[in-house]
Amino acid sequence: MTLHHTQMFRRVNPMSTGDTSKPQGAGNGTSAESPAARWRARANYAERLAGLSQTVLVVDDDPDNRLLLSEILRQQCRVIEASSGAEALEIAFREPRVDLILLDVMMPGMTGYEVLERLRSDVRTADTAVIFVTGQDDENEEEKGLLMGAVDYVFKPIRPAIVRVRLANQLKMIAQRHQMSLLLGRDALTGIANRRSFDEALERIREVSIRSGRAFGLALIDVDFFKQYNDSFGHPAGDLALREIAAVIAQFATAPHQLAARYGGEEFALLLPDATGLAALLDSLRRAVLDLGLKHPTTPWGVVSISAGGIATHAEPDTHADDLLRRADALLYEAKRAGRNRILTRLDSF
C-alpha cells in the first residue's frame, strides 16, 4: 500500500475571509458568492431538475420499433434513442440522469442481457430501471431477465395502449421513489446528504466494486478542535460553521454519483466512484476550508481547519462496509494524532 501524508500550516488573519480563488473541483460560482450561497444554488437547481420531465432511453436495432416506442413515450417524457448495446451504454454513462431504459433483448453485437449486466456493474447505472422488450414469449427467458434485475417485460408486437399505461405506471413509481429519496436523504442542518444516504450509497458502490473490480475513494473528514469552537462562540455559531464547511465539501462532490454527506456531529464523508487523485483532492479541500477564514483563536493557525483520512480501494466479496469505514477512520485518527490540519490517505495495491 502507499501512504500519502500532507499538511500545511498557514497563518491567516483571523478576521480575514481568505482569498477568493476556487479550490480544485469547485463549482463555477463567482468569487462574490459565499460557499453556502453556491451550495444553496446547486440544491435549488437539483430540485428544479428533479421536477423536469423524466428521461427514457429506447434501445432497439430496429428503427421501426424505436420510432413506435418513442412516439408512445414522447408526450410523457424526454426520449433518447440508441440502435445498439454499445451506443446504449455510451449514452447511459454520459447522461446525468436516465430514469428508465427500454432494452431490446435480441440485438446484434451485444444482447440486452449483456447490456444489463454492464449497467449493473457500474455505479452510474446500477440502480437504473430497465424494461426488456422482446418478441420471445418464453417463461424461462422472462425469469432470467427479472432475476438479472429488469423491472418488467414488454412483448412484441407492441400494443401502444397497453405499453403506454405500463410505462406511465413505471415512470410514476420511479418519480415517487426519487422524491422520497430527496426528502429522506438530506441532513436538516447542512442540506447535504445525511448518514442514511451515505450508508446506502456506500453499500451500492461496494457491490458495484465487487462486480467490476474498479477502485473507489472513501474519506472521513473531521472539523479540528470543534468542541473548543463551540465553547468559545456558542452552538449557534458552531452550526453556522458546519453549514459553511459542508458547502465547501459539497463543491468537491459535484460529478455524477459522487457524494458529500454529514456523517455525524462535526464529521463528514466523501464517496468517489473514481479514486484517481484522492490525496490531491482531499488536500485541496483542506486548503479550501482554511480559506474560509472562520476565526478560531485556540488553533495554532487561527482559523477553523479539518483533518481527513481517505482510502482508495476496491471491495472483495468478503469486504463489508464497516471494514471500509474502520480503515478510513483509522487514517483520520492518525492525521489528528499527528497534529490536525492534515490529511492521510492510503492507496491499496491491486
Side-chain angles (χ1 to χ4, degrees):
M1 68 181 180
T2 304
L3 288 173
H4 297 280
H5 197 171
T6 67
Q7 178 193 30
M8 182 188 299
F9 289 99
R10 300 178 63 180
R11 286 286 178 185
V12 181
N13 184 340
M15 301 306 294
S16 169
T17 58
D19 64 45
T20 58
S21 60
K22 291 189 295 183
Q24 178 180 332
N28 293 323
T30 63
S31 59
E33 292 180 305
S34 72
R38 287 195 292 271
W39 168 244
R40 284 193 295 272
R42 276 193 302 277
N44 291 337
Y45 173 76
E47 289 175 351
R48 293 197 303 272
L49 183 64
L52 295 177
S53 295
Q54 294 164 290
T55 297
V56 176
L57 174 58
V58 176
V59 188
D60 200 310
D61 61 307
D62 185 330
D64 293 334
N65 285 334
R66 290 201 309 275
L67 178 61
L68 177 57
L69 289 168
S70 296
E71 288 301 318
I72 291 171
L73 287 161
R74 196 97 40 199
Q75 292 185 347
Q76 302 180 57
C77 58
R78 173 178 174 243
V79 180
I80 309 174
E81 297 181 15
S83 59
S84 68
E87 185 182 8
L89 291 171
E90 179 185 349
I91 293 171
F93 294 154
R94 182 187 69 223
E95 284 287 316
R97 179 176 159 190
V98 175
D99 296 280
L100 176 65
I101 299 176
L102 287 175
L103 182 57
D104 187 23
V105 173
M106 300 307 296
M107 293 183 294
M110 186 183 295
T111 69
Y113 298 128
E114 292 170 318
V115 174
L116 179 57
E117 188 174 12
R118 291 279 301 278
L119 291 169
R120 291 292 176 260
S121 67
D122 192 292
V123 69
R124 294 168 291 182
T125 52
D127 297 322
T128 303
V130 172
I131 294 178
F132 275 131
V133 181
T134 181
Q136 298 178 327
D137 189 5
D138 186 320
E139 287 187 7
N140 291 331
E141 290 296 308
E142 187 175 355
E143 181 184 15
K144 174 182 177 181
L146 294 173
L147 288 173
M148 290 182 66
V151 298
D152 203 354
Y153 266 79
V154 167
F155 294 96
K156 302 175 185 178
I158 293 168
R159 294 179 291 171
I162 299 299
V163 170
R164 185 177 291 109
V165 172
R166 296 180 79 169
L167 296 182
N169 288 339
Q170 284 290 343
L171 289 171
K172 182 178 180 180
M173 287 190 292
I174 291 167
Q176 289 172 340
R177 286 196 299 269
H178 182 70
Q179 187 63 29
M180 186 62 68
S181 176
L182 287 176
L183 292 173
L184 296 177
R186 284 190 184 176
D187 174 62
L189 176 65
T190 63
I192 64 174
N194 60 20
R195 175 66 181 271
R196 172 179 174 167
S197 290
F198 172 78
D199 288 342
E200 292 174 351
L202 177 58
E203 184 60 27
R204 285 197 301 272
I205 203 170
R206 185 191 72 86
E207 292 173 354
V208 168
S209 179
I210 290 171
R211 292 196 296 266
S212 67
R214 285 194 292 270
F216 62 92
L218 167 64
L220 294 180
I221 303 152
D222 192 73
V223 182
D224 297 326
F225 303 110
F226 191 68
K227 181 182 182 301
Q228 291 89 328
Y229 187 89
N230 277 334
D231 291 343
S232 297
F233 299 106
H235 287 277
D239 288 349
L240 288 173
L242 290 177
R243 290 192 188 105
E244 289 288 299
I245 293 166
V248 171
I249 295 172
Q251 294 178 42
F252 290 81
T254 58
H257 303 287
Q258 295 179 343
L259 184 73
R262 188 179 180 200
Y263 191 68
E266 69 271 23
E267 200 164 6
F268 297 88
L270 269 179
L271 196 56
L272 308 168
D274 184 354
T276 305
L278 177 64
L281 182 144
L282 289 178
D283 196 52
S284 293
L285 169 57
R286 183 189 60 79
R287 289 184 280 109
V289 171
L290 283 177
D291 288 342
L292 285 173
L294 298 175
K295 181 182 177 181
H296 194 346
T298 61
T299 70
W301 34 91
V303 293
V304 170
S305 63
I306 60 169
S307 297
I311 57 172
T313 188
H314 72 280
E316 300 289 350
D318 59 350
T319 303
H320 298 287
D322 287 346
D323 299 328
L324 300 168
L325 291 168
R326 276 194 292 269
R327 284 151 60 187
D329 191 56
L331 292 170
L332 171 61
Y333 175 78
E334 288 298 321
K336 294 183 77 69
R337 193 173 70 168
R340 296 179 170 82
N341 187 27
R342 64 186 69 208
I343 65 109
L344 184 61
T345 60
R346 183 177 73 188
L347 174 63
D348 286 350
S349 300
F350 304 117

